[in-house]
Amino acid sequence: MTTAHELHEHHGLHTKGLREHLAPALRALGLTGWRRTFSLPDASHWLLLGLVERPAADRVPFTFDLSVVRRTDWAVADLPGHRPDPRTRYGIETWRARIGEVLPVGEDVWWEVLPGPRWQLPLDDAVAAVRHYGLPELRRRAEADRAPTGEAYLLPAELEAVNAALLTASVARVQRAELADKALVLTGAWTSGDGVARTVLAGVARGFLSAGDERFGTVRCLDTLGRELWTFPVGE
């Protein structure tokens, strides 16, 4: 059974580790920020890292949220704060993920600061994950957004009508519409289990296909990690 003293020790060590070890190490990597949100310098995008904590009775596991937001989109959205909070889902992100998704394990990863002579090791491991995987992925995603691999089908301004309809249905917007391999590829912050998004995007796809553009015969929907979600009309 954890005593009140042990509980206080655990939480105190966690706070000390973040303040005296983790935050300075993140700033040494080129991140700027304070408390639990940080960003990398970039002229066109907010490249963001947010510390996510999951307090329990006797410990405080932590991980990171990663987020890329176009500065122009943030300015137009006119949301509170001078910059986005990577721990908040706004629906305007170019890309967002938990850091575990970009690590070799490909799944959620949490670290804990626990009392003992090796209490700094989880902090060092978390910093290494940010250095070797988190920051390179943020830069790569921003660069990919600046120079998409496919042929642009619609410019962001031309997607406004489609995105207005998606917003009405509470579905995340289309971030990119590109032509690749005889398909129209739509990218957005959707998930495979979101039935509403699938239904609404099926209608969007029918609209695109009804135009009779000979350059594509299917509409593919990808999430912001580039994973295939749905293809229309095949499997619709």
Side-chain angles (χ1 to χ4, degrees), residues 112-174:
E112 295 180 43
V113 180
L114 299 174
R118 298 163 65 86
W119 67 272
Q120 289 188 1
L121 286 182
L123 296 166
D124 291 338
D125 187 56
V127 172
V130 171
R131 176 190 296 114
H132 296 300
Y133 296 97
L135 300 191
E137 190 66 17
L138 285 172
R139 295 187 178 101
R140 189 179 76 82
R141 293 287 174 171
E143 190 56 40
D145 190 55
R146 282 189 283 263
T149 55
E151 173 191 350
Y153 183 70
L154 292 177
L155 298 175
E158 296 172 311
L159 281 170
E160 286 182 2
V162 173
N163 284 332
L166 294 176
L167 180 62
T168 300
S170 298
V171 174
R173 67 185 180 88
V174 177

